[in-house]
């Protein structure tokens, strides 16, 4: 019954910061032992896990984007947000939020947002 609704821009200029928000309904982002993930998909890289927030507000990041990625949350709005700074055209992808365990074998995501196509271009 948990649903994730994404919002954010579809077009971003190089060097800007991409901000995407995921709004959760049917469940709380503070529910114990859930991970709230950001994942993207592109023809060049396929599915790529970017990072996750925990139910306590902690964060984990992929080494490939750690230096310019920030995941935060607003518990009053039941939202979590991805910020990706200094974007380049190589960041063009479909971005998803998802609830699940990225460290499961294989990774398991039980709920997905609808995805947003983000294009980085001048």
């Amino acid at each position: 019954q948990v649903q994730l609704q994404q919002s954010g821009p579809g077009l971003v200029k190089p060097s800007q910061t991409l901000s995407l928000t995921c709004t959760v309904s049917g469940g709380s982002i503070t529910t114990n032992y859930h991970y709230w993930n950001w994942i993207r998909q592109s023809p060049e890289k396929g599915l790529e896990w970017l990072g996750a927030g925990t139910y306590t507000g902690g964060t984990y990041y992929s080494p490939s984007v750690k230096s310019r990625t920030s995941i935060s949350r607003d518990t009053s709005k039941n939202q979590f947000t991805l910020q990706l700074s200094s974007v380049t055209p190589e960041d063009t992808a479909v971005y998803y939020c998802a609830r699940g365990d990225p460290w499961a074998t294989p990774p398991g995501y039980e709920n997905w947002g609808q995805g947003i196509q983000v294009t980085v271009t001048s």
Side-chain angles (χ1 to χ4, degrees):
Q1 196 166 333
V2 172
Q3 298 186 37
L4 286 68
Q5 178 68 45
Q6 296 178 234
S7 62
L11 189 66
V12 185
K13 295 181 178 180
S15 81
Q16 291 186 332
T17 296
L18 169 66
S19 294
L20 298 173
T21 296
C22 187
T23 301
V24 177
S25 62
S28 173
I29 62 173
T30 63
T31 298
N32 286 2
Y33 307 118
H34 287 298
Y35 300 95
W36 305 93
N37 303 270
W38 289 100
I39 303 159
R40 67 183 180 186
Q41 184 173 27
S42 67
E44 295 79 16
K45 299 181 179 180
L47 282 172
E48 182 184 15
W49 178 79
L50 302 175
T54 74
Y55 75 100
T56 61
T59 54
Y60 299 88
Y61 300 104
S62 169
S64 64
V65 297
K66 181 179 180 180
S67 64
R68 57 192 185 98
T69 303
S70 178
I71 295 171
S72 58
R73 67 178 186 170
D74 185 339
T75 57
S76 68
K77 298 180 179 179
N78 216 31
Q79 295 176 332
F80 62 105
T81 296
L82 170 73
Q83 292 188 305
L84 181 65
S85 66
S86 303
V87 299
T88 72
E90 286 67 44
D91 293 311
T92 295
V94 179
Y95 285 73
Y96 299 92
C97 57
R99 188 182 77 169
D101 184 358
W103 298 284
T105 306
Y109 304 103
E110 63 266 29
N111 302 99
W112 292 77
Q114 79 277 20
I116 291 180
Q117 171 67 54
V118 176
T119 300
V120 180
T121 181
S122 60

